[in-house]
Amino acid sequence: MGLSVDHTKKAIDQGNLLLAYDLARVAIEAGDESAELRHLLVLTLARMGDGQQAMELYELYGLHSSANAHHRSLAARILKDAALALPDGKERDEALAAAYRAYADIYEDSGDAYPGINAASLALLSGDKKKAEELASSIIALNAISNPKDYYDAATLAEALLINGRADEAAAALYMAGQLPDANSGAKSSTSRQLLLLARTLKLDADKQNALLAPISPPTVIHYCGHMFLEDAAVEASLRQRIDDFLENQNVDFVYGSLAAGADILVAEAIIARGGELHVTLPFVKDDFIAQSVKPAGEGWLYRFERCLKEATSVHFATEMNYVGDPAQFGYASKVAMGMATLRAQYLRSSPRQLAIWDEIAATGPAGTGADVQAWKDYGGETTIIAPDDVDRSLSWPAQPGTDDLTRGLAAFLFTDFPGFSKLAEAALPAFWQGVMGRMATVLDNYPDKVLAKNSWGDAVLAISLDAPVAAEIALALQETLQDFDYGLLGLSESSGMRIGVHYGPAYQTKDLITGNTTFYGTEVSRAARIEPVTPPGAVFVTEPFAAILVLEASDRFKCRYVGNVEFAKGYGTYPIYRLMAV
C-alpha cells in the first residue's frame, strides 16, 4: 500500500475521521489512482454518517465492479446504515431486507466472511432467525474465522457465535479480539455498534450486554479544564497521579481543551505520556495567549507549554484575533473544544466526559473553570472533578487591554449572495427583488425576536442572531423558500439558489453610525463574510466553531457534514468547513 493509503487507514483506525477524509481527498485530487484509497474515502464518509455522498462516490469510483469483496460491500453497508436510521415499521423492514440481499449476493459470489457476517446479522435484525443461524454457521466453519489471527476475524467469530445463541463463547472471542495487536479504536467502535444491535435483538439483559462488549469498548474522549497555578513539584505530583488514574480508569485516549499554565498543561503532559491524542484549542493568537495564560504563572511553564504544543496531535485557534480584554473569548474557545470532543465521540459512538481540576467555586463570569463545568452540565455532560489541593494561585497578571466599554458578545453571522446577480438584465431586477429577496425577507420576518441585526445590498443579505440553532434554522429555511421559485422570470434557464455561509464567534455589538441600526463588527464578522463566496449554490456552509456549537446545542435537529479544508476567498486562508443539513 502507498503512504496515502497507510496514513488514511491509520486515521480511520484512530477514529479520526476528519483527518482521514482530508488525507484521502487531497491525495486523490493530487492524482493518486489507488482503488483502496477511494474505498477508504467512501468508508470514512459512511462512518461519518454521510451516506448520500458516500454512495455517490461509490458509484463514481466504480467500486461496484471491484474484484475486492470489501470494496463492493460498501454499498450494502450504506444501505444498512440508512435502514437502521429508520423508525420501526414496514419501510425499515424493506430497507433491511434490501441491505441483506446486497450483502448476501456478494457473500455467495465471493465466500468472503465480511459480507457474509453482515448478511447474517441483517437476517437476524429482519426477523429471519433461521437464515441468520445458517449463515453464521457457514462463517464459523471458515478456517480463518474458527482460528482467527487478526481483530476482524476474531470479531467476526464473536458475531457469528452470538447470532447462534452462544453468548458466552462470543464474549470469549471478543476478549481475544480486544487483545490482538491490530485492535484499534475505529474497529472497536464499529464492532460495538453492530453487536449491541444484535444483543438487543436477542434480548440479552443489560448486564450481559455490558459484559459482552466490555473488551472492545472504544477509548473515552474528554474535554479538560482547570485552574492556573504556580509551579510546585510536590503538589503537581499528587495532581498528576490522580489525573493519570482518571485517564487509565476511563480508558482515555483523546483529550480536547486549552493549554494554560497549571491544570491544562498537567493534563496535556499526562495524555502525551500515555501515548494518546492531545487536541488544543487556543482562544486567540499564540503570543497573546502566552502573555495572558502561561507567563502569569511563572516563566517555567513556558517551556512546558511549547513542548506540549509541539507534541499535540492538532492545534486550532477558536479565533485568529488578538486578546481584546474580553473574558468571553476564553469561554468561547472552551465551548468550541467541547463541541470538537463531542464530534469525535460521536464518530467513535461513545459518550464524551469532562475532567475538571476545580475548587468547586462557581464562576461569576463567562470564563473560567466553573463556567466550563456549568456549560458542560448545561449541555447534558458528566464531569469528574479533581480537587486542586494546595496549589498557589497568586498569579502575576499582565495589564489588560482596554475595551472602551464597548459591548461584546457571541453571535451567529449569516451571509448570502445570488450567483450571477450582476449579469441579470435590468428588466429582471424587479422580479428578483420581489421573488427572491421578498421570500428571504418573509423568512427573516418569522424571527422578529431572534434576529438582532439584518441588512441587504444588491443580492446579499446579512442576518445576525445570538443563537446558533436559530441561525441554522434560518439558513435552511432560506434555501427551502427558494426551491420552487421560477428562475425563468429572471431570464435564467436554471439556478441552484443562494449561497449561504454561517459562522459563530465573538464580536462588537453597537449602533451603526450611518443607519442608526444595531450592527456587529470585528474579525469574526469578516471571517464569516469569506465563507459564502466558496459555498456552492443551494448549499449552506458553516465553520468548524459553528459546527462545534451546533453539536452541543441542537444535534437532534441538525447535522454538519465535513467538507474538508477549504481555501477562502481573497487569500484569507484555509479553514475546515462543514455543510449544514437537517436531521
Side-chain angles (χ1 to χ4, degrees):
M1 292 191 295
L3 286 177
S4 296
V5 169
D6 290 342
H7 292 160
T8 302
K9 187 176 186 307
K10 181 179 179 181
I12 292 173
D13 289 346
Q14 294 170 335
N16 195 344
L17 300 182
L18 303 184
L19 176 60
Y21 177 87
D22 280 337
L23 290 170
R25 184 177 63 89
V26 169
I28 290 170
E29 290 176 355
D32 192 313
E33 298 181 354
S34 164
E36 178 59 19
L37 189 62
R38 284 159 172 74
H39 162 253
L40 292 175
L41 177 57
V42 176
L43 175 62
T44 298
L45 287 166
R47 288 195 178 184
M48 292 169 73
D50 189 359
Q52 180 179 347
Q53 190 185 16
M55 187 64 86
E56 289 173 0
L57 291 182
Y58 172 88
E59 296 291 347
L60 177 66
Y61 295 153
L63 295 177
H64 58 281
S65 59
S66 171
N68 188 312
H70 288 218
H71 293 185
R72 299 201 306 276
S73 295
L74 270 175
R77 188 250 166 79
I78 296 165
L79 291 174
K80 179 184 75 174
D81 289 344
L84 293 174
L86 295 171
D88 289 341
K90 182 180 179 181
E91 184 181 1
R92 185 177 192 267
D93 292 341
E94 291 175 348
L96 287 172
Y100 160 76
R101 287 192 298 271
Y103 273 125
D105 288 346
I106 298 172
Y107 178 51
E108 183 177 346
D109 176 66
S110 66
D112 190 285
Y114 173 73
I117 192 60
N118 277 283
S121 293
L122 283 165
L124 183 66
L125 294 174
S126 301
D128 193 341
K129 194 168 186 293
K130 181 180 179 181
K131 174 57 70 174
E133 290 176 347
E134 289 175 357
L135 285 167
S137 295
S138 71
I139 291 164
I140 293 171
L142 297 173
N143 183 62
I145 303 303
S146 59
N147 299 285
K149 299 295 189 297
D150 62 31
Y151 173 85
Y152 276 109
D153 285 345
T156 297
L157 174 61
E159 192 169 342
L161 290 168
L162 183 61
I163 290 170
N164 277 352
R166 298 157 66 179
D168 291 341
E169 293 173 79
L174 278 183
Y175 178 81
M176 175 175 57
Q179 303 304 307
L180 289 169
D182 62 332
N184 58 69
S185 302
K188 290 179 179 179
S189 172
S190 181
T191 304
S192 294
R193 178 199 182 209
Q194 180 94 331
L195 266 64
L196 181 59
L197 286 170
L198 297 178
R200 289 173 175 171
T201 301
L202 293 167
K203 294 183 169 37
L204 296 187
D205 63 39
D207 289 341
K208 287 187 178 180
Q209 290 179 27
N210 292 335
L212 175 72
L213 299 177
I216 58 166
S217 296
T220 301
V221 181
I222 68 164
H223 169 260
Y224 64 90
C225 56
H227 296 304
M228 294 172 59
F229 51 81
L230 304 184
E231 284 187 301
D232 184 318
V235 172
E236 288 180 40
S238 173
L239 278 175
R240 173 62 184 272
Q241 183 59 58
R242 283 178 284 162
I243 291 169
D244 286 340
D245 289 345
F246 170 83
L247 298 180
E248 178 64 26
N249 293 336
Q250 295 295 323
N251 190 28
V252 176
D253 275 1
F254 315 107
V255 306
Y256 290 75
S258 191
L259 204 53
D264 285 357
I265 289 179
L266 279 185
V267 175
E269 290 172 338
I271 195 67
I272 290 170
R274 183 177 168 82
E277 293 183 9
L278 169 64
H279 297 272
V280 175
T281 300
L282 298 182
F284 35 75
V285 295
K286 176 183 171 183
D287 287 347
D288 283 7
F289 182 78
I290 289 172
Q292 296 296 325
S293 299
V294 181
K295 285 186 177 181
E299 292 286 340
W301 287 105
L302 181 57
Y303 168 75
R304 296 166 71 175
F305 166 84
E306 294 286 4
R307 184 176 59 188
C308 289
L309 208 62
K310 182 179 179 180
E311 295 291 330
T313 302
S314 69
V315 179
H316 298 277
F317 292 85
T319 73
E320 294 182 347
M321 67 173 70
N322 292 98
Y323 178 56
V324 296
D326 178 10
Q329 290 176 270
F330 292 98
Y332 168 66
S334 292
K335 290 179 180 178
V336 171
M338 292 177 197
M340 295 310 298
T342 302
L343 279 171
R344 183 63 174 279
Q346 284 186 352
Y347 293 149
L348 289 168
R349 297 184 176 89
S350 64
S351 298
R353 296 185 61 88
Q354 183 183 66
L355 173 65
I357 317 302
W358 184 40
D359 59 12
E360 300 195 55
I361 296 177
T364 57
T369 307
D372 290 349
V373 172
Q374 185 60 50
W376 189 257
K377 179 180 178 182
D378 291 343
Y379 293 136
E382 295 184 13
T383 301
T384 295
I385 298 169
I386 294 178
D389 293 335
D390 299 323
V391 297
D392 187 345
R393 299 175 63 190
S394 54
L395 281 63
S396 300
W397 298 107
Q400 298 297 294
T403 61
D404 297 324
D405 295 324
L406 293 174
T407 300
R408 286 181 59 82
L410 296 173
F413 315 105
L414 181 152
F415 283 88
T416 82
D417 86 337
F418 185 84
F421 171 77
S422 62
K423 297 180 181 180
L424 291 179
E426 185 76 9
L429 294 182
F432 176 84
W433 190 252
Q434 296 297 326
V436 175
M437 300 299 281
R439 291 184 180 211
M440 298 180 76
T442 298
V443 169
L444 293 176
D445 286 344
N446 290 332
Y447 301 87
D449 300 324
K450 297 293 186 178
V451 175
L452 274 69
K454 56 184 177 180
N455 203 349
S456 71
W457 49 98
D459 62 324
V461 172
L462 163 67
I464 299 175
S465 173
L466 299 183
D467 190 304
V470 167
E473 186 177 315
I474 291 173
L476 294 178
L478 289 173
Q479 292 292 23
E480 183 179 0
T481 195
L482 295 175
Q483 286 183 357
D484 62 350
F485 179 73
D486 181 5
Y487 289 98
L489 297 173
L490 307 180
L492 300 175
S493 59
E494 62 180 18
S495 176
S496 299
M498 302 291 285
R499 300 185 296 197
I500 300 178
V502 194
H503 176 48
Y504 183 85
Y508 292 105
Q509 178 181 349
T510 187
K511 183 175 75 172
D512 189 311
L513 298 178
I514 305 301
T515 67
N517 298 325
T518 298
T519 190
F520 289 73
Y521 68 96
T523 302
E524 296 308 294
V525 181
S526 299
R527 183 178 175 185
R530 300 296 188 274
I531 309 166
E532 158 265 305
V534 299
T535 302
V540 179
F541 273 12
V542 304
T543 60
E544 191 162 78
F546 186 89
I549 298 301
L550 208 59
V551 77
L552 293 172
E553 297 184 353
S555 61
D556 59 329
R557 297 169 54 203
F558 307 101
K559 60 182 177 180
C560 296
R561 192 234 328 145
Y562 187 56
V563 173
N565 282 289
V566 175
E567 185 175 354
F568 280 18
K570 301 180 180 179
Y572 198 77
T574 300
Y575 299 91
I577 290 294
Y578 295 72
R579 182 168 184 161
L580 176 68
M581 294 178 287
V583 170

